Amino acid sequence: GAGVSQSPSNKVTEKGKDVELRCDPISGHTALYWYRQSLGQGLEFLIYFQGNSAPDKSGLPSDRFSAERTGGSVSTLTIQRTQQEDSAVYLCASSLLTRSTDTQYFGPGTRLTVL
Amino acid sequence: AQKITQTQPGMFVQEKEAVTLDCTYDTSDPSYGLFWYKQPSSGEMIFLIYQGSYDQQNATEGRYSLNFQKARKSANLVISASQLGDSAMYFCAMREGLFSGGYNKLIFGAGTRLAVHP
């Protein structure tokens, strides 16, 4: 079946602009996660959705970052007033939310460059 | 303190030989899971293998096996019969609180870049 998809694959923006990153999880996966991968910080957790609610937003680096999920499916990560330090690859993952293994499957990522 | 430590920034191996990628972890939670992911130059994270803290046997998936030493808190990935296509970054990750319904996030190590030489 189809895997996790993300769009756009690449995004170049100017400092101060807002950007929206989209994630389409595997059909039927209840849980959705956003991570950020950057050279200096490695892979960092940002936010986790269970259905449409976000029980864990602990990784969002500032209030410029927000995310929502609608219909238990597609999620959008929004970064307002982008800064150069926001440049990174943003990875989305989804899982079935089983109690034990709960393997997370990742999308190809969105590479964000803030000029 | 680092929760996941991968001490080998880079490794190389000859094609068809076996290679071990190291991973040590730190947690006080009795229920946790350990994952290995492969990230080729294309950027996608590919799930390889999983080991639960209560699993009695070491996990295996094809050419991948996990050398799980619970007392030493290590979960090394062994790749047998290396292929050129195995050249990639490899990440060890941990999920805590397997049965508590929380802590669903993965905590990643810094990764090991593996190069397979012909």
Side-chain angles (χ1 to χ4, degrees):
Chain A
V4 178
S5 61
Q6 293 186 246
S7 60
S9 54
N10 278 287
K11 176 73 177 178
V12 180
T13 190
E14 292 179 348
K15 178 181 171 181
K17 302 271 190 178
D18 298 351
V19 295
E20 285 189 351
L21 312 180
R22 176 188 167 106
C23 172
D24 225 316
I26 294 171
S27 177
H29 277 196
T30 309
L32 187 147
Y33 312 78
W34 284 97
Y35 294 86
R36 179 169 73 172
Q37 185 174 25
S38 56
L39 279 175
Q41 302 296 322
L43 269 152
E44 308 170 274
F45 166 80
L46 296 178
I47 187 169
Y48 151 61
F49 285 93
Q50 184 174 328
N52 290 336
S53 64
D56 190 351
K57 306 180 185 179
S58 62
L60 293 178
S62 75
D63 58 7
R64 295 186 296 105
F65 287 72
S66 63
E68 65 173 13
R69 188 179 185 196
T70 54
S73 182
V74 172
S75 175
T76 303
L77 177 69
T78 301
I79 310 173
Q80 295 179 310
R81 304 181 302 281
T82 51
Q83 303 294 313
Q84 288 183 331
E85 62 262 27
D86 299 335
S87 295
V89 176
Y90 290 81
L91 291 163
C92 175
S94 70
S95 74
L96 277 171
L97 201 62
T98 56
R99 282 185 67 81
S100 56
T101 311
D102 195 36
T103 299
Q104 296 180 24
Y105 296 92
F106 285 79
T110 293
R111 181 175 296 277
L112 175 66
T113 304
V114 182
L115 301 176
Chain B
Q2 293 288 328
K3 289 239 178 188
I4 298 284
T5 303
Q6 295 181 254
T7 58
Q8 308 151 314
M11 289 278 287
F12 69 88
V13 65
Q14 288 293 125
E15 194 178 8
K16 298 179 186 174
E17 292 186 350
V19 63
T20 298
L21 306 183
D22 295 342
C23 173
T24 57
Y25 59 92
D26 181 27
T27 183
S28 57
D29 196 318
S31 64
Y32 54 89
L34 297 156
F35 301 78
W36 277 90
Y37 285 86
K38 171 185 177 182
Q39 188 177 43
S41 55
S42 59
E44 188 160 356
M45 298 284 283
I46 302 167
F47 166 70
L48 296 178
I49 196 167
Y50 165 84
Q51 180 84 43
S53 59
Y54 292 118
D55 292 344
Q56 296 297 314
Q57 293 186 321
N58 286 349
T60 59
E61 288 286 348
R63 294 186 299 110
Y64 304 108
S65 61
L66 206 151
N67 183 1
F68 181 47
Q69 298 187 44
K70 195 170 181 178
R72 294 186 176 185
K73 294 190 174 178
S74 75
N76 299 339
L77 177 70
V78 180
I79 305 174
S80 62
S82 297
Q83 302 172 356
L84 295 178
D86 293 335
S87 294
M89 280 289 284
Y90 288 81
F91 291 95
C92 179
M94 176 172 64
R95 182 188 159 214
E96 296 173 299
L98 281 188
F99 302 112
S100 64
Y103 306 110
N104 288 73
K105 65 184 178 186
L106 290 175
I107 304 165
F108 286 87
T112 295
R113 183 170 298 281
L114 177 67
V116 180
H117 295 173

